[in-house]
Amino acid sequence: MQISIDTSTDFASLALVNGLEILAELNWRCGQNHTIELTSRLEYLIKKSMLELNDADCIFVARGPGSFNGLRVGVSTAKGLAFSLGIPIIGISTLEFTAYQHAAAGLPVCAVQNAGREEIAAAIYQQQPRKGWRQLAAEHITTLIGLASEINDRTIFCGEIDAATSARIKKLFKTRAVIPPAAAQLRRGAYLAELGRRRQEAGDYDNVATLQPIYLRRPPITERKKSY
């Protein structure tokens, strides 16, 4: 059994898989309650699946980009499980497995995520006939206007796209933009597990001691008040 953990944003996902078989999956809006809800939901999922934590042989975890608190909780929990169970860990970009949900379409897929300050985190991927799943543009901070200068082909836009952002994308990209319906935008731990499984089969593991989240931007630091 492999455990998939995603706490990148206010939406969280857990999945239990065994190779190609999805054993159980749980997706929910946790807000900023990752610390409180993650371990209890994982225990619930394992119990309902009539499995034991010791059945796990690998941990897959979303590395971000995403919220600082969410990623800290998810990655530290995943590393703690890997250490305590003595099993390997594999970190996957949140934008990559968000995009991978739409790989079968064959079009370039641009995964986006709100980064605050009217900016977004974005990366572009595509499933190509001969080369397979490829990253066309690495994770970076940009704006929708900035993306418009990068993208010339008909492209699928996915991620946590609200109505206002969807409208802006359609206005900027016109017929080049394909936006899946809301139900198809939900980030799922099972897709994280699929990419993780590929790396597991190749023996491509991360170092559990040094694995870190992808933040792209440093956390805000409150300036110290001057003393007079």
Side-chain angles (χ1 to χ4, degrees), residues 30-67:
C30 64
Q32 295 299 308
N33 297 319
H34 305 88
T35 304
I36 300 170
E37 298 182 2
L38 179 58
T39 53
S40 62
R41 298 293 174 99
L42 178 58
E43 290 172 359
Y44 166 80
L45 204 61
I46 290 175
K47 183 177 180 180
K48 292 294 288 184
S49 302
M50 295 182 289
L51 297 165
E52 299 289 339
L53 191 58
N54 288 332
D55 293 330
D57 59 29
C58 192
I59 305 291
F60 307 138
V61 62
R63 294 183 59 197
S67 73

Side-chain angles (χ1 to χ4, degrees), residues 109-130:
V109 185
C110 180
V112 299
Q113 189 178 100
N114 180 28
R117 306 175 190 174
E118 297 186 354
E119 293 180 321
I120 56 172
I124 305 172
Y125 304 85
Q126 186 176 15
Q127 180 70 30
Q128 299 177 343
R130 296 183 180 180

Side-chain angles (χ1 to χ4, degrees), residues 130-205:
R130 296 183 180 180
K131 296 182 179 180
W133 182 244
R134 290 289 183 271
Q135 183 182 70
L136 305 183
E139 298 94 342
H140 61 293
I141 297 293
T142 184
T143 62
L144 288 177
I145 293 175
L147 270 183
S149 66
E150 298 178 38
I151 297 175
N152 298 311
D153 300 321
R154 193 162 183 259
T155 298
I156 296 172
F157 287 83
C158 64
E160 295 179 11
I161 300 174
D162 58 23
T165 303
S166 177
R168 288 193 65 201
I169 290 173
K170 291 176 181 178
K171 182 177 180 180
L172 282 168
F173 294 88
K174 298 181 172 57
T175 57
R176 287 178 290 158
V178 179
I179 302 179
Q185 296 280 19
L186 181 66
R187 207 171 58 245
R188 293 181 52 197
Y191 285 100
L192 166 62
E194 173 62 21
L195 289 175
R197 179 187 62 81
R198 292 185 175 194
R199 285 185 50 189
Q200 183 184 20
E201 290 177 347
D204 181 16
Y205 301 110

